[in-house]
Amino acid sequence: MAQPPGSYPSVTASARAEAKAQLSMRLRARGDMDLALLRALEAAPRENFVGPAFADLALRDVAVPLPFGQTMESPSVLARMIAALDPRPGSRILEIGAGSGFSAKVLAMLGREVVSVDCFERLALDARARLERLRVANVAVLWADGFELSPSYGLFDRILVHGAFDEIPAAIAGALAEGAVLVGPRRRAGEERCELVRLDRAPSGALDERSLGPWRAQRLLRGVFNDR
């Protein structure tokens, strides 16, 4: 189950402050992120979104293992995805792959509302519990299949997909409002390599795609899993 914030005695206040300063300097040195994104990343307590065994690791700019073979991206990798997504204060955001709930916390500080789904019931429940303990009120975490999203979720201004897809699932594409943006990893035809892409919904309804360069990501899973 999710642990309450501040429950990891191995993460001292001084270690947290030092790690936060180092990470902030690294992110600011990139020069491709606005101040709002930097502040959101700095304000999110990443160490409280993992189990006790990985609390110290979560203070560094590295990926962190999650249950069921999933991972939490490093802050710099997540930052690049969110910078490309370009969420606005009024944005309604859909996230495919809630994972630990960390990225939903960051997105919640940048947009109006976040709906975050995960195909693993345990991950969805734990992410929801963490966000509730942190009193993040504008995020809904749902246990659902990203390939079979309910139309009742409505349309979104921004969609962030963490898993790699060959072709954008129809249910996800159908959730893009006019002028909306989707960012996620696409696998190149016949290859295991993938690239990060940004898709913009044009007024005509077409999706204009732009490659943002090579990327590494696990496949986007189809179905729901309740092995807790």
Side-chain angles (χ1 to χ4, degrees), residues 11-93:
V11 183
T12 65
S14 60
R16 184 180 296 109
E18 181 180 354
K20 180 179 178 179
Q22 291 177 349
L23 179 58
S24 177
M25 289 176 61
R26 178 169 182 170
L27 293 174
R28 288 173 183 271
R30 292 174 56 94
D32 61 350
M33 287 175 286
D34 64 23
L35 185 58
L37 175 53
L38 286 167
R39 286 176 173 169
L41 288 162
E42 291 169 358
R46 190 171 182 249
E47 68 273 17
N48 289 329
F49 285 86
V50 297
F54 299 111
D56 293 325
L57 188 63
L59 293 171
R60 299 161 51 193
D61 190 22
V62 296
V64 177
L66 297 175
F68 312 110
Q70 304 305 296
T71 58
M72 181 198 304
E73 299 109 335
S74 69
S76 59
V77 167
L78 179 63
R80 185 178 169 192
M81 296 181 77
I82 295 179
L85 190 68
D86 191 25
R88 306 296 174 85
S91 295
R92 187 164 190 259
I93 304 169

Side-chain angles (χ1 to χ4, degrees), residues 77-160:
V77 167
L78 179 63
R80 185 178 169 192
M81 296 181 77
I82 295 179
L85 190 68
D86 191 25
R88 306 296 174 85
S91 295
R92 187 164 190 259
I93 304 169
L94 173 64
E95 178 184 36
I96 306 297
S100 68
F102 172 69
S103 52
K105 163 66 172 172
V106 176
L107 290 168
M109 290 185 279
L110 299 170
R112 173 176 58 87
E113 176 189 1
V114 179
V115 176
S116 182
V117 305
D118 203 288
C119 62
F120 291 99
E121 184 180 23
R122 176 179 161 189
L123 291 183
L125 290 174
D126 285 356
R128 183 186 303 159
R130 293 183 182 110
L131 291 163
E132 287 176 352
R133 289 187 179 109
L134 291 169
R135 299 182 180 181
V136 181
N138 60 333
V139 176
V141 182
L142 308 175
W143 176 38
D145 179 4
F147 284 83
E148 300 291 340
L149 295 175
S150 170
S152 66
Y153 294 175
L155 299 178
F156 296 86
D157 307 298
R158 298 290 187 272
I159 298 181
L160 182 65

Side-chain angles (χ1 to χ4, degrees), residues 165-190:
F165 50 84
D166 297 311
E167 296 296 333
I168 186 71
I172 296 177
L176 282 166
E178 182 180 324
V181 175
L182 179 149
V183 171
R186 182 197 285 278
R187 291 195 178 274
R188 296 168 181 166

